[in-house]
Amino acid sequence: EDQVTQSPEALRLQEGESSSLNCSYTVSGLRGLFWYRQDPGKGPEFLFTLYSAGEEKEKERLKATLTKKESFLHITAPKPEDSATYLCAVHTGTASKLTFGTGTRLQVTL
Amino acid sequence: NAGVTQTPKFQVLKTGQSMTLQCAQDMNHNSMYWYRQDPGMGLRLIYYSASEGTTDKGEVPNGYNVSRLNKREFSLRLESAAPSQTSVYFCASRQGTNEKLFFGSGTQLSVL
């Protein structure tokens, strides 16, 4: 059975304090790993897709990386507006199967 | 650009009542999905429609039915609501099987 585990569950950072969120997975046949951002009361919003080990993608203060067992979302010099829950999901063999982790709640304070 | 639109945003039901959650997308996507999100559980797939005219069960289909009315619209029906169905429901769509999902803003459902 595919499993996705995100850590930590919650993270509090001061503005400018860089850190990383972890998404570890146990799946058969990874076809893609997705990162989403979710603000309170809203639906998840797409950030990145990674398809193979060694791949990296960047957007503003966020950088996502992928190995054969895990993905990291690095946040450099975060700002309060980066506060949100970050979800990762893995797409495996069947067309419909996208397994989500439970997310990391990030709070960035001044 | 509306994207994925869900109605209603909030709903309170009594046990045994029925209701339909509506979802429409204006991106000409082939695939549409219904998820539920519960604290500590992550998003779980209820039903999906890979293309117009087809529907399939996901991870947690019991107690739900769906209808893919046309390419734009995909509804989720609770025939006899139960307290265990209290959750936040999200509709999503995407063009291809390994493409990113676009989510609606959700329906917060409480069953008393």
Side-chain angles (χ1 to χ4, degrees):
Chain A
E1 184 179 323
D2 298 341
Q3 286 193 329
V4 179
T5 303
Q6 291 189 247
S7 61
E9 284 189 22
L11 181 63
R12 185 172 175 146
L13 300 173
Q14 287 195 320
E15 185 175 14
E17 181 186 0
S18 302
S19 188
S20 297
L21 313 182
N22 177 263
C23 172
S24 62
Y25 59 91
T26 306
V27 301
S28 54
L30 179 72
R31 295 182 59 187
L33 185 141
F34 297 79
W35 281 99
Y36 287 86
R37 168 191 172 127
Q38 186 174 23
D39 293 300
K42 296 189 176 181
E45 182 180 336
F46 172 78
L47 291 173
F48 304 107
T49 309
L50 302 166
Y51 293 103
S52 57
E55 189 174 0
E56 299 181 351
K57 290 199 176 165
E58 287 188 69
K59 179 181 179 180
E60 295 180 356
R61 295 177 293 281
L62 301 177
K63 179 180 177 180
T65 61
L66 181 66
T67 71
K68 288 186 178 179
K69 293 184 178 181
E70 59 193 348
S71 177
F72 292 94
L73 185 65
H74 306 279
I75 303 176
T76 302
K79 298 182 177 181
E81 52 262 43
D82 294 322
S83 297
T85 296
Y86 291 85
L87 304 172
C88 80
V90 294
H91 183 204
T92 57
T94 59
S96 67
K97 193 160 178 63
L98 194 64
T99 303
F100 281 84
T102 54
T104 294
R105 286 192 320 278
L106 173 66
Q107 184 180 12
V108 182
T109 59
L110 292 170
Chain B
N1 191 3
V4 179
T5 303
Q6 289 183 239
T7 55
K9 294 188 79 66
F10 302 93
Q11 183 70 49
V12 179
L13 295 177
K14 294 182 180 178
T15 297
Q17 286 185 317
S18 62
M19 79 159 296
T20 300
L21 280 64
Q22 306 287 352
C23 175
Q25 52 91 8
D26 62 2
M27 295 171 284
N28 202 36
H29 286 167
N30 289 320
S31 303
M32 297 186 73
Y33 303 79
W34 277 105
Y35 286 89
R36 60 178 289 173
Q37 187 175 40
D38 302 290
M41 298 289 289
L43 283 156
R44 292 181 292 168
L45 182 64
I46 305 171
Y47 269 94
Y48 70 100
S49 171
S51 60
E52 187 178 356
T54 69
T55 60
D56 283 289
K57 295 178 181 179
E59 185 183 354
V60 288
N62 291 344
Y64 306 95
N65 284 301
V66 291
S67 295
R68 183 77 182 264
L69 304 170
N70 47 55
K71 192 170 185 179
R72 289 187 64 248
E73 298 173 288
F74 188 40
S75 62
L76 178 72
R77 182 160 178 85
L78 287 70
E79 290 291 351
S80 179
S84 61
Q85 294 177 306
T86 293
S87 188
V88 181
Y89 291 84
F90 289 100
C91 178
S93 70
R94 62 181 174 182
Q95 181 59 30
T97 55
N98 203 23
E99 299 290 320
K100 62 187 178 186
L101 283 169
F102 290 82
F103 285 86
S105 57
T107 296
Q108 188 169 324
L109 175 67
S110 294
V111 183
L112 306 177

